[in-house]
Amino acid sequence: MSEPFSEVRPHFVAESSRLQHTFAALLAAKKGGIVVYIMAADPDVETSLAILRSLPRMGVDVIELGVPFSDPLADGPILQRASQRALKAGGSLVRTLEIARLFRTENNTTPLILMGYYNPIYVYGPERFAKAAAAVGIDGCIIVDLPPEEADEVREFLKPRGIDFIVLATPTTDSARVPFLLEKSSGFIYYVSVTGTTGTISATQQAITQAIIRLRHQTERPIAVGFGIMTPEQVAAGASVADAVVVGSAVIQRIADCLDTNGRPRPGLVEDVLSFIKELAIAAHTSRKALSLRRCP
Amino acid sequence: MTRINTSFSSGPDGRGHFGLYGGRYLAETLMPLILDVERSYSQAMADSTFAAEMRSLLCHYVGRPTPLSFAARLTAHLGGAKIYLKREDLNHTGAHKINNCIGQCLLARRMGRKRIIAETGAGQHGVATATVCALFGMSCTIYMGSRDIKRQAQNVFRMKLLGADVKPVEAGTKTLKDALNETLRDWLASVESTYYLIGTAAGPHPYPAMVRNFQSVIGHETREQVIAQEGRLPDTLIACIGGGSNAIGLFHPFLDEEGVRLIGVEAAGHGLESGRHAASLLGGHVGVLHGNRTYLLQDFDGQIATAHSIAAGLDYPGVGPEHAWLRDSGRVSYVSINDDEALHAFQLLTRLEGIIPALESSHAIAYIIKLAPTLSKDHVMVVNLSGRGDKDLTTVTAIMRGEES
């Protein structure tokens, strides 16, 4: 049986990984970064690829590519509907990897992270998945329902291929647990700022700041903050304390708003979504850093 | 020097795994909480006052022990094995579900949680949860697929009378799977105040082991009762499997009794070959969903498929992880019964024994109808009558009138 994704030439950046390079550059420039989440094949393969290809030009520092799943337990209604649209449009793990491969044919610098749920990866086979992900140039994975307690069965295949297993830290993660999360992961820390699903509620700036301070005491790793960050103002505020800010639901909602009654993209969808993303990127990059919260370069 | 452990009843291991199955596949937000549930549960198990309080409630509130009834006319009609019915239908609220609810509500109270959330399919677990919450004065929210709300209208009304907030789930297939998703989403947003009372022996560790232990009262009583009536252990035990809590509750105390044959009956819906069924052990593949690794109905890409069964309580595309392990080890045989066979059994038991079984339990009865005639008259079998069928009258009436196929 032939594998669809050949591992002959893995897309490694020589000295340091794309993620390390990106976060180091942001730190050196004293800039906050913007991480944008879109879902592969939402609302269809072509449109999602068109958006994906343009993200680096809009100033996006790191891309999270969502893998559609029938039962997205940690997602609010906006991303649930995105999964349903993507699956209807033929989305799958294999299709997601194919979209990533097409992206990498034009871009070899912007970090690309897969975000999704464990079952499609488990069914595909963790080793086969790691090989395919390396072959198409994936830099990291966030697997929402694979906590560090169970993650070794996937990490053992990701690690030798230079793919980061990125963990989530949440308001319920106490300081005693953080060293365990760090031991079982690499890349950056994704701080989930609320207890709840994606795109439903937002944390206060004070709560975010306190959580980042707490995490900074325990790790030198870059920290990206996400969940409930919907506007350029919230992006600017988040980027003033974290290394980067993740926006997902707000972008996906923008896509949903540009669909006609049959769920097909209206003309101008891509441009509209990209101009919103550009606003988010500018907000992150120009936010004033609260310097005391920065890591040492 | 390691000795091969031949016990079938010693699982799960310290990390909540039954061999390949089980585990804790949850979002990070819930991990600290699930570890807390595990700690609190272990402490409760080591506390004799917890066990005493549980025993007292099961006796004086639930009405345990439930009888083990010899089904004389069914036995004569089938002309083979001697059939006993373990009467979980006679529990308060009409099903085995309340055994587990009493245990978990006691645990929630120990943990200082004032709000209980739960999913329900047929509504039996929802009713049992709402009942115990009323008894304990706790706030109760039940998630139920809107499709199930339609086919189980009476149970919805009962839950509301009991003071529960019943939230219809419109997502996905609008059945038990989606109700579970929505309950987990609620828990993500309410971890500080809320206890999730899972209704079956599935989900993240420690739930499969905890629910099994709370339901094992069924098997322990059966063991004493069958010895009292027959002077020996039974030859065969039979129970229906959705998530599998009534079956594992009956089976567990017998897992290491080599001479006792154990049979789990899955729902074949329109037939296994039709693709429209709920038999995850017989027609599914290994995957990860709702906090555990187990057999799931799913496609080649790992997208979860829709389950089909006439019995709302079996209409779930997964199964508890211990059953997955018992399947692979061969200790329990798993078979299936389709909608029509279950309906026939529903009517037959009602006519012959004056007991209206739940459509879920009717699957186990239907398998007995096939099996008993092939066995000798001294073969003793016990079928778990996990619930009563009053809740299913609307569904069955509609089918008998030809309103739904």
Side-chain angles (χ1 to χ4, degrees):
Chain A
M1 187 172 107
S2 79
E3 284 293 310
F5 304 102
S6 152
E7 210 183 9
V8 179
R9 200 178 65 84
H11 291 261
F12 289 142
V13 174
E15 307 275 303
S16 64
S17 75
R18 293 186 195 96
L19 270 172
Q20 283 169 350
H21 185 265
T22 298
F23 279 108
L26 285 168
L27 189 58
K30 297 188 165 53
K31 281 193 338 187
I34 182 80
V35 182
V36 164
Y37 172 99
I38 62 167
M39 179 168 283
D42 171 39
D44 55 57
V45 173
E46 295 70 29
T47 308
S48 71
L49 184 59
I51 296 170
L52 179 64
R53 281 180 160 144
S54 305
L55 292 179
R57 259 196 306 119
M58 297 302 115
V60 172
D61 299 294
V62 177
I63 299 168
E64 276 180 21
L65 188 58
V67 185
F69 183 51
S70 54
D71 295 78
L73 302 172
D75 287 310
I78 296 172
L79 292 197
Q80 288 174 40
R81 286 193 288 266
S83 254
Q84 284 165 12
R85 287 194 298 268
L87 290 172
K88 214 174 150 193
S92 65
L93 177 59
V94 171
R95 192 57 66 82
T96 304
L97 290 165
E98 176 60 18
I99 288 170
R101 191 187 65 78
L102 292 171
F103 172 79
R104 272 285 174 259
T105 59
E106 304 171 354
N107 177 307
N108 199 26
T109 52
T110 306
L112 186 60
I113 291 162
L114 288 187
M115 183 161 183
Y117 292 81
Y118 187 33
N119 198 48
I121 292 170
Y122 178 73
V123 169
Y124 192 79
E127 183 171 18
R128 188 171 165 226
F129 165 74
K131 285 180 181 171
V136 304
I138 297 297
D139 299 284
C141 292
I142 301 173
I143 307 173
V144 179
D145 55 350
L146 188 65
E149 278 82 353
E150 307 285 354
D152 288 349
E153 63 189 57
V154 176
R155 280 184 67 236
E156 64 169 312
F157 300 115
L158 296 178
K159 214 175 165 189
R161 294 177 174 84
I163 299 174
D164 288 311
F165 181 76
I166 295 154
V167 285
L168 307 175
T170 74
T172 61
T173 311
D174 61 22
S175 299
R177 187 169 162 81
V178 171
F180 178 57
L181 297 188
L182 292 168
E183 179 202 326
K184 296 287 186 182
S185 65
S186 58
F188 62 92
I189 300 286
Y190 185 139
Y191 181 67
V192 173
S193 63
V194 298
T195 50
T197 52
T198 52
T200 46
I201 50 166
S202 305
T204 63
Q205 180 61 18
Q206 192 193 7
I208 292 175
T209 305
Q210 282 170 356
I212 304 280
I213 291 171
R214 211 157 48 87
L215 284 169
R216 294 272 192 233
H217 282 298
Q218 295 190 275
T219 182
E220 295 275 292
R221 260 185 231 168
I223 301 171
V225 60
F227 276 49
I229 296 177
M230 313 289 279
T231 65
E233 292 71 33
Q234 288 171 317
V235 167
S240 72
V241 291
D243 295 84
V245 176
V246 189
V247 183
S249 295
V251 170
I252 302 295
Q253 186 57 48
R254 201 81 177 201
I255 293 174
D257 289 342
C258 295
L259 299 175
D260 67 20
T261 47
N262 297 317
R264 278 190 291 268
R266 291 206 195 100
L269 178 149
V270 174
E271 294 71 21
D272 185 82
V273 171
L274 290 177
S275 76
F276 176 58
I277 289 169
K278 194 170 186 177
E279 275 181 66
L280 300 173
I282 291 168
H285 294 156
T286 57
S287 82
R288 258 180 71 88
K289 282 286 158 198
L291 284 176
S292 60
L293 291 170
R294 301 294 302 152
R295 294 173 300 137
C296 304
Chain B
M1 168 78 195
T2 54
R3 206 172 138 266
I4 292 169
N5 187 357
T6 52
S7 171
F8 287 99
S9 59
S10 59
D13 66 19
R15 293 171 55 236
H17 291 248
F18 298 91
L20 176 66
Y21 306 101
R24 287 173 288 220
Y25 295 88
L26 281 182
E28 172 62 22
T29 307
L30 295 176
M31 282 308 293
L33 189 68
I34 202 81
L35 295 171
D36 189 30
V37 170
E38 188 186 347
R39 266 190 305 275
S40 304
Y41 172 65
S42 302
Q43 286 162 6
M45 287 295 97
D47 179 352
S48 61
T49 61
F50 184 90
E53 194 167 5
M54 173 123 189
R55 261 198 312 277
S56 170
L57 282 166
L58 287 179
C59 173
H60 302 297
Y61 185 72
V62 176
R64 300 205 74 94
T66 58
L68 183 72
S69 309
F70 174 53
R73 295 192 68 217
L74 182 66
T75 298
H77 177 79
L78 297 175
K82 248 179 131 169
I83 299 161
Y84 285 89
L85 306 171
K86 179 59 176 164
R87 301 292 305 280
E88 292 301 298
D89 60 314
L90 293 179
N91 283 322
H92 180 42
T93 72
H96 71 291
K97 291 291 184 187
I98 197 163
N99 303 329
N100 167 48
C101 292
I102 294 275
Q104 287 199 55
C105 272
L106 280 172
L107 180 65
R109 197 168 68 180
R110 257 178 98 94
M111 294 174 71
R113 308 278 158 163
K114 303 230 176 335
R115 176 175 180 261
I116 301 287
I117 55 173
E119 81 294 339
T120 197
Q124 291 305 99
H125 175 56
V127 167
T129 303
T131 298
V132 181
C133 285
L135 177 68
F136 284 19
M138 288 169 151
S139 146
C140 178
T141 301
I142 304 290
Y143 288 90
M144 189 169 183
S146 60
R147 180 153 179 263
D148 289 338
I149 284 183
K150 256 187 224 151
R151 45 182 181 173
Q152 304 290 346
Q154 283 201 2
N155 271 345
V156 175
F157 187 59
R158 286 166 82 192
M159 287 185 273
K160 287 181 177 167
L161 273 177
L162 289 160
D165 182 9
V166 181
K167 294 207 188 274
V169 177
E170 299 290 347
T173 57
K174 304 178 173 62
T175 60
L176 182 53
K177 162 186 88 109
D178 309 282
L180 237 151
N181 291 346
E182 219 46 47
T183 317
L184 278 165
R185 288 180 186 124
D186 180 311
W187 207 24
L188 270 175
S190 62
V191 277
E192 303 295 334
S193 63
T194 299
Y195 180 89
Y196 181 8
L197 206 166
I198 295 181
T200 193
H205 178 66
Y207 284 98
M210 174 163 67
V211 175
R212 174 198 74 199
N213 291 345
F214 290 149
Q215 291 293 3
S216 290
V217 65
I218 302 171
H220 288 300
E221 284 178 10
T222 298
R223 191 183 173 102
E224 279 181 27
Q225 290 167 324
V226 80
I227 287 173
Q229 293 183 50
E230 287 288 334
R232 64 178 179 89
L233 289 178
D235 298 298
T236 303
L237 301 178
I238 298 182
C240 66
I241 310 257
S245 69
N246 90 79
I248 201 70
L250 175 65
F251 294 166
H252 195 258
F254 295 91
L255 284 178
D256 288 329
E257 298 291 353
E258 262 179 61
V260 181
R261 189 176 165 201
L262 307 172
I263 302 174
V265 185
E266 292 197 285
H270 297 270
L272 287 187
E273 64 294 333
S274 72
R276 290 168 60 82
H277 59 79
S280 35
L281 289 167
L282 293 171
H285 301 281
V286 181
V288 175
L289 182 72
H290 294 152
N292 58 175
R293 175 155 41 214
T294 187
Y295 282 86
L296 300 171
L297 301 180
Q298 55 181 324
D299 69 11
F300 64 92
D301 184 43
Q303 308 297 337
I304 308 305
T306 308
H308 290 274
S309 172
I310 190 174
L314 305 181
D315 208 345
Y316 177 66
V319 62
E322 193 165 8
H323 284 295
W325 180 74
L326 290 168
R327 171 202 186 271
D328 287 7
S329 70
R331 175 62 187 97
V332 179
S333 313
Y334 294 90
V335 298
S336 71
I337 284 294
N338 67 32
D339 287 351
D340 291 342
E341 293 166 327
L343 267 172
H344 170 68
F346 177 94
Q347 293 168 72
L348 190 73
L349 189 76
T350 304
R351 291 279 177 84
L352 289 178
E353 298 290 342
I355 296 168
I356 303 177
L359 279 173
E360 291 77 10
S361 321
S362 300
H363 285 72
I365 306 288
Y367 191 69
I368 279 200
I369 294 173
K370 288 184 173 176
L371 183 64
T374 69
L375 297 167
S376 69
K377 290 187 183 343
D378 60 355
H379 189 104
V380 174
M381 57 169 54
V382 177
V383 59
N384 199 6
L385 200 73
S386 55
R388 68 180 182 217
D390 307 50
K391 68 180 175 60
D392 296 312
L393 296 182
T394 318
T395 305
V396 175
T397 310
I399 292 168
M400 288 171 75
R401 285 185 187 147
E403 287 167 15
E404 197 183 309
S405 60

